[in-house]
Amino acid sequence: MFRKINNWCIGALAVMLMTGTFEAQAQPDGATLFKQCATCHSPFKDGTGPKLQGVREKWNSGGAKDGSIYHWVKDWEAAAAADPYAANETKVKPGSMMKFPTLSNEEIDAIFDYVDAQVENKPAAPVAGGDGNVEVVEQELPMGWIWLAFAIVLTVVVVSLGNVKNRLVLISKAKGGEDVEDVPSFIDDIKSWAWRNRKLTAFLILCVVIGVFVALFLGLYTIDVKEGYHPSQPIEFPHSVHAGINGIDCRYCHNVVTESKSASLPTVNVCMNCHKQVTGTTPEQQEKIKKIYEAAGWDGNQFTGKTKEIVWNKVHVLPDHVYFSHEQHVTAGNVDCMQCHGDMKKRTETAQVMPVSELNKIEGNIQLTKPTLTMGWCIECHDQKGISDGPLDTKKDGYYAEIHKRLLENDPKLYEQYMKDGKVSVKELGGWECIKCHY
Ligand code: HEC
Ligand code: HEC
Ligand code: HEC
Ligand code: HEC
Ligand code: HEC
Ligand code: HEC
């Protein structure tokens, strides 16, 4: 009995996995896709971006060109150049909409369909890292699960019908006075077929397993691409003037970056260390620096006590289930800030998630291909980057030398294999293990 249950469980699982993966490709999932918009947009409320419910209708009836709204989502700048209606939309918060060049029209429609289907007044939780007033809409049961449930039910029905048929044969034989041996059940039929064609069966199972893995990984590589993300900030803080021209060390403002998980952002007191005196040369600068004074409650001579926090919008955001530590990369791994954030000394605008194509232009950076901040990006670097350039590097505290020494003592053969390419990569030390990055 249990063997049977076991068997059809496996069958059902295979069907589930297959339909699951096909489903994921066939139909774009508006709820998931909308997550990348939800940091700025809510269906019903204006936040960083305007509310999105009914926006397609608004554009169509407002006189936008055909297909202009898709163009907008893919590249608002190009859309604004091509369509006066779109150009008008850029006036809400100029330059703050993100570009999504990889979304297809179907996917964009799926997002709008999802948004239009939302009903207001549902209790909603705020999004971490986004605007305080942005809402996450409650997740609907995704279509994928409905298909899965359907696949399970179907499998159960097929198997039961097969068994019923065999039972009927058995009964009719018994009635006819025939000698009744145990007629093979439907599952037994399948099993014996599989046994007779075991090579084919093995091949089919292998195909399914490989297919599932490939689909899974291709999916993981590109989930939730944040490249180019450039939120607006309360003060137009230029890194170029500070870290560049004035040569201020990154750690002056991001003061825990070498010793903790987070890099931290400076408080207004840090700004005031200099800006009590530095009031700006041009009127433009003075205007910007005035905002620091408002936040610090500084009237030019003394602190009034009327402070107002500067709320910087977070630029680099990883999902909650990912663990990333600056100390591990900057101090232990000796990776330069530029590798992941670009050359901030030259950055005249506020910070942005630099596209990998830009990062690759910086001399000395490891060349990567996957979009910045995706899992593929992390993993690709862990494969390429050695924990040191040679077997006995001269890093002062002997950190790497110690690792190499231990590896050599524990398993000289394995060590030799690692060192074939001249390095022990982060991956070879476990940097591809799910648990290292996922809680
Ligand atoms: C970084 C913040 C941000 C993200 C992320 C973002 N948007 Fe926007 N969006 C804006 C802003 C700001 C505007 C207002 C446009 C302007 O002033 O330039 C806007 C405008 C729009 C408009 C026009 C709204 C109207 O009322 O006409 C649409 C449509 C839109 N966004 C769709 C999307 C979609 C779809 C996504 C996700 C795939 C998305 N946006 C992601 C910030 C964002
Ligand atoms: C004078 C203070 C100061 C110095 C020096 C400084 N930063 Fe910043 N940094 C800031 C402020 C303020 C922000 C928030 C505004 C923004 O996002 O541009 C910021 C933001 C950032 C961000 C984006 C943070 C996020 O939300 O994801 C990165 C990355 C960054 N800085 C890297 C650097 C690097 C690398 C250096 C050294 C080359 C450096 N910073 C030097 C003040 C400073
Ligand atoms: C290996 C890539 C990598 C390197 C090297 C790196 N960062 Fe980051 N940085 C990240 C990632 C990823 C995040 C987002 C972290 C998160 O959301 O948990 C981030 C976030 C930040 C932030 C936003 C605040 C925070 O802690 O979330 C600042 C500021 C920052 N980095 C500054 C720096 C500075 C300064 C250096 C060099 C001393 C540096 N980073 C080196 C990948 C890197
Ligand atoms: C170590 C000293 C120092 C610190 C700390 C500092 N600044 Fe500055 N900042 C300067 C100098 C110097 C200038 C250039 C002023 C000039 O050219 O007259 C400047 C210029 C600026 C400007 C005008 C830039 C422009 O050209 O448009 C802004 C805005 C600004 N700072 C914001 C900040 C903020 C926000 C902080 C805190 C996060 C901060 N600064 C911290 C030294 C500092
Ligand atoms: C530019 C290369 C680079 C990128 C990009 C990068 N890492 Fe790393 N990572 C390293 C290096 C080098 C080390 C080894 C540090 C050491 O020697 O302990 C490391 C180590 C780690 C470790 C510790 C591994 C262990 O074996 O203990 C974790 C966890 C980690 N990285 C997470 C991430 C995450 C998450 C991302 C993406 C958001 C990321 N890394 C992106 C280079 C990178
Ligand atoms: C080097 C760090 C690293 C390792 C190792 C790693 N991941 Fe990830 N993973 C990430 C990052 C970063 C993200 C978030 C990517 C994004 O937001 O685009 C992620 C996202 C995911 C997601 C998508 C969740 C979502 O946001 O919807 C899944 C599932 C996942 N990882 C599973 C795994 C599995 C299984 C393994 C082991 C085979 C693994 N990861 C190993 C860094 C890592």
Side-chain angles (χ1 to χ4, degrees):
M1 183 62 193
F2 282 111
R3 291 252 313 271
K4 270 189 194 163
I5 291 178
N6 240 352
N7 270 316
W8 66 254
C9 276
I10 292 170
L13 197 70
V15 177
M16 266 162 58
L17 288 172
M18 276 155 72
T19 45
T21 30
F22 289 141
E23 168 59 18
Q25 279 172 352
Q27 199 154 44
D29 173 9
T32 309
L33 290 166
F34 177 65
K35 281 189 195 157
Q36 37 186 343
C37 323
T39 35
C40 302
H41 290 286
S42 134
F44 321 112
K45 263 198 206 159
D46 292 341
T48 304
K51 69 177 163 66
L52 284 188
Q53 195 162 65
V55 72
R56 244 179 330 193
E57 188 47 39
K58 191 185 95 180
W59 281 53
N60 286 340
S61 59
K65 285 189 186 159
D66 225 22
S68 180
I69 195 163
Y70 305 111
H71 199 183
W72 168 275
V73 176
K74 290 174 195 170
D75 183 346
W76 58 268
E77 227 164 347
D83 180 7
Y85 182 90
N88 205 35
E89 288 298 339
T90 61
K91 290 176 187 149
V92 183
K93 260 196 193 162
S96 327
M97 168 72 186
M98 226 164 126
K99 295 180 186 173
F100 298 90
T102 54
L103 286 181
S104 66
N105 290 3
E106 290 73 37
E107 286 170 325
I108 295 169
D109 267 329
I111 294 174
F112 291 143
D113 288 343
Y114 170 76
V115 168
D116 288 348
Q118 296 312 303
V119 184
E120 201 164 357
N121 292 333
K122 268 195 195 171
V127 192
D131 289 4
N133 58 356
V134 171
E135 290 172 22
V136 165
V137 185
E138 241 176 67
Q139 282 259 7
E140 286 178 340
L141 193 65
M143 278 306 281
W145 290 105
I146 296 172
W147 281 107
L148 284 188
F150 184 66
I152 295 173
V153 172
L154 197 72
T155 316
V156 171
V157 169
V158 167
V159 171
S160 332
L161 281 181
N163 276 333
V164 168
K165 186 189 125 222
N166 285 342
R167 289 294 133 200
L168 285 178
V169 171
L170 195 76
I171 291 165
S172 70
K173 277 186 182 167
K175 272 199 181 150
E178 279 182 49
D179 240 3
V180 183
E181 328 158 11
D182 204 10
V183 172
S185 75
F186 184 62
I187 286 290
D188 292 332
D189 286 348
I190 294 180
K191 262 204 281 189
S192 71
W193 179 88
W195 180 247
R196 268 178 281 123
N197 303 283
R198 43 192 178 276
K199 278 192 185 142
L200 181 61
T201 309
F203 178 72
L204 285 178
I205 291 176
L206 196 71
C207 284
V208 170
V209 169
I210 291 176
V212 166
F213 269 92
V214 168
L216 201 65
F217 271 84
L218 286 181
L220 292 187
Y221 272 158
T222 50
I223 293 170
D224 206 7
V225 173
K226 304 168 195 89
E227 269 195 343
Y229 183 48
H230 186 201
S232 63
Q233 299 290 2
I235 299 177
E236 282 171 56
F237 173 86
H239 274 79
S240 58
V241 173
H242 295 88
I245 298 169
N246 287 296
I248 310 170
D249 191 285
C250 312
R251 273 165 303 178
Y252 184 83
C253 294
H254 305 296
N255 55 8
V256 290
V257 69
T258 50
E259 68 219 35
S260 91
K261 180 177 172 305
S262 141
S264 77
L265 289 181
T267 61
V268 69
N269 298 337
V270 176
C271 314
M272 284 306 284
N273 289 346
C274 298
H275 281 288
K276 249 195 236 172
Q277 291 83 36
V278 181
T279 53
T281 319
T282 64
E284 226 189 355
Q285 284 180 326
Q286 287 163 357
E287 203 50 46
K288 290 187 200 165
I289 291 167
K290 233 191 233 155
K291 290 193 192 159
I292 305 177
Y293 299 155
E294 279 165 25
W298 174 255
D299 69 3
N301 294 307
Q302 56 177 2
F303 289 103
T304 60
K306 271 198 279 175
T307 57
K308 197 178 85 192
E309 206 190 337
I310 306 176
V311 185
W312 301 106
N313 287 316
K314 206 159 169 3
V315 184
H316 299 78
V317 188
L318 290 175
D320 288 343
H321 55 76
V322 178
Y323 175 84
F324 176 87
S325 158
H326 273 93
E327 182 188 24
Q328 204 147 37
H329 288 87
V330 175
T331 309
N334 211 10
V335 184
D336 197 296
C337 314
M338 272 196 229
Q339 173 72 52
C340 304
H341 298 305
D343 191 350
M344 295 302 285
K345 290 188 179 130
K346 294 201 182 122
R347 179 109 194 134
T348 53
E349 295 173 69
T350 52
Q352 177 182 16
V353 179
M354 297 309 285
V356 76
S357 53
E358 290 297 315
L359 295 176
N360 283 344
K361 286 181 195 155
I362 296 171
E363 216 183 294
N365 270 7
I366 301 164
Q367 304 289 301
L368 303 174
T369 59
K370 301 290 186 293
T372 320
L373 292 192
T374 57
M375 178 164 151
W377 179 71
C378 310
I379 280 183
E380 199 182 7
C381 181
H382 285 189
D383 186 29
Q384 290 202 17
K385 176 101 172 93
I387 56 157
S388 92
D389 300 322
L392 282 172
D393 72 317
T394 51
K395 200 164 183 280
K396 281 181 224 74
D397 59 6
Y399 178 85
Y400 290 131
E402 178 58 33
I403 290 180
H404 283 280
K405 196 165 135 260
R406 240 182 314 158
L407 277 174
L408 187 59
E409 279 168 10
N410 287 350
D411 193 342
K413 275 232 177 76
L414 189 67
Y415 182 72
E416 194 182 311
Q417 197 187 321
Y418 283 169
M419 286 304 291
K420 265 200 185 122
D421 55 359
K423 67 182 180 223
V424 177
S425 71
V426 181
K427 174 189 172 190
E428 283 156 347
L429 280 188
W432 271 28
E433 286 164 21
C434 317
I435 192 88
K436 291 273 168 74
C437 300
H438 291 291
Y439 290 109

